[in-house]
Amino acid sequence: MITSLQHIALGIPSMKAGTDFYEDFGLENVDRPDHVAMRCFGRDQDQILLIETGQDRKFHHASFGTTATGLVAIQKKLEDRGIALLDPPFAGAADGIWFRDPEGILVNVQVAEAAPFRTDTQQAAINRPGLNMRLAQKGCPPFDIKPKPRRMGHFILFVRDVFAQSAFYCEVLGFQLSDRITDGYAAFMRTAGSSDHHVVAMLKSDGTGFHHASFEMGDIDEAEVAATSFLSKGHKHAWGPGRHGVGSNYFHYFRDPWNGMAEYFCDIDYIPGDAEWDPMEWTKKDGMFLWSADGPPPPDFGRNYELG
């Protein structure tokens, strides 16, 4: 039923700190009366809404897109479970329906499609041992490239009960389980139809909270050129670069001013709607990474800073 990720929203103590961070990360801002929307260059879709609260940073809400038929079906499932529909939380909030999931996370579902984003048409092929696909062509990109994120691909939330939360998102919203990390540590879910390996994931904690939002780059060169520029502006490295096991994507994480994270990613697994895909139970180590430039994730990588 859910067909797209529309945006997420964060309540933050300082609008300037938030917009400075995401602008340096490569996003553009749209200033509105009750929030600022951060967007990817060339994409007509909000990605992260920043709402100044004057309080510690908190995850505010997630917004997903569906069809008109899907919206009716989701509303019926919510009614069957006795989940009340809510008024929009602020004047400029999205249309559609609003409700809280079983752990109290605010969710919006609206009739909306994913907006087009910049795609690649001229990237150089990769030469491999005995398989030279790039002939008489330089593989190194131009030294003056200024790469920017193409789209927000996924986000991860902390929850108390990974099994129950992922079951709700699959049974009520129509997500599909792609993979888990063992012992209820994490669950990764994709949208209905053809989808990236995961669009939303749940990570075990003692309470709810925001872990990270992830933005797609054209390739590993774009990700690391952007990372070099981003770090030169004084922002804090968190983990990477490396290659995840779950989802297979290259990653590089950075801390925001309040110890949430933003990630550059590329080359994630993609699952067609008609493909056979059996969810796998990964160990924590293998699911997290095959390799990373700085080894295992830091001790606080899985810390929920919204709990203090």
Side-chain angles (χ1 to χ4, degrees):
M1 290 171 284
I2 293 296
T3 56
S4 66
L5 167 60
Q6 290 294 305
H7 67 259
I8 63 169
L10 304 175
I12 58 174
S14 166
M15 187 63 77
K16 185 178 187 313
T19 54
D20 285 352
F21 175 84
Y22 285 109
E23 284 178 348
D24 287 349
F25 191 75
L27 305 186
E28 301 177 325
N29 78 72
V30 179
D31 197 3
R32 298 187 181 130
D34 48 15
H35 66 274
V36 170
M38 305 305 302
R39 292 184 164 196
C40 294
F41 176 76
R43 191 179 199 204
D44 186 20
Q45 180 176 319
D46 296 347
Q47 303 282 245
I48 294 185
L49 305 189
L50 302 177
I51 304 167
E52 190 168 29
T53 63
Q55 301 173 342
D56 291 343
R57 190 262 301 144
K58 296 287 186 182
F59 187 79
H60 190 276
H61 71 264
S63 178
F64 301 105
T66 187
T67 63
T69 301
L71 188 66
V72 171
I74 290 169
Q75 187 167 345
K76 177 65 165 56
K77 288 178 178 289
L78 293 170
E79 291 172 353
D80 290 345
R81 289 180 176 235
I83 296 175
L85 299 185
L86 307 173
D87 292 332
F90 52 90
D95 293 332
I97 59 174
W98 291 83
F99 61 93
R100 291 194 180 274
D101 73 16
E103 293 203 9
I105 296 167
L106 185 61
V107 178
N108 165 247
V109 180
Q110 55 178 302
V111 177
E113 297 180 354
F117 53 90
R118 292 176 299 125
T119 56
D120 294 311
T121 58
Q122 296 182 338
Q123 280 199 328
I126 296 175
N127 286 339
R128 295 180 172 86
L131 184 63
N132 295 315
M133 304 298 293
R134 189 181 71 250
L135 305 176
Q137 180 185 5
K138 290 181 172 62
C140 182
F143 277 72
D144 60 352
I145 63 169
K146 294 179 173 60
K148 292 180 179 292
R150 314 303 178 88
R151 63 182 177 116
M152 182 171 67
H154 59 268
F155 69 100
I156 291 184
L157 294 178
F158 291 107
V159 300
R160 298 177 187 85
D161 189 331
V162 168
F163 290 119
Q165 279 286 90
S166 59
F168 175 86
Y169 277 68
C170 290
E171 294 167 7
V172 176
L173 301 183
F175 282 91
Q176 299 179 68
L177 180 68
S178 294
D179 283 312
R180 287 196 185 100
I181 291 179
T182 192
D183 296 328
Y185 180 74
F188 300 81
M189 293 167 286
R190 63 189 189 276
T191 58
S194 299
S195 173
D196 285 352
H197 174 275
H198 53 279
V199 170
V200 60
M202 307 292 183
L203 186 64
K204 187 173 179 55
S205 176
D206 290 333
T208 60
F210 172 66
H211 186 263
H212 79 269
S214 188
F215 292 83
E216 186 174 32
M217 307 298 287
D219 56 20
I220 191 67
D221 289 315
E222 279 196 7
E224 293 314 303
V225 169
T228 299
S229 172
F230 187 60
L231 292 170
S232 75
K233 296 174 182 176
H235 298 289
K236 185 179 177 183
H237 164 84
W239 186 36
R243 171 80 92 158
H244 282 309
V246 174
S248 301
N249 48 295
Y250 290 106
F251 64 82
H252 200 158
Y253 294 89
F254 311 88
R255 288 286 180 189
D256 70 19
W258 307 284
N259 283 314
M261 287 184 287
E263 176 193 15
Y264 292 135
F265 83 91
C266 62
D267 191 27
I268 196 168
D269 292 337
Y270 188 80
I271 306 173
D274 59 357
E276 293 289 334
W277 183 273
D278 293 324
M280 177 176 170
E281 289 278 337
W282 294 78
T283 66
K284 187 175 178 181
K285 187 277 169 192
D286 289 349
M288 294 289 282
F289 73 112
L290 171 67
W291 63 268
S292 169
D294 47 7
D300 69 341
F301 186 77
R303 177 178 171 182
N304 184 353
Y305 277 92
E306 291 191 24
L307 300 181

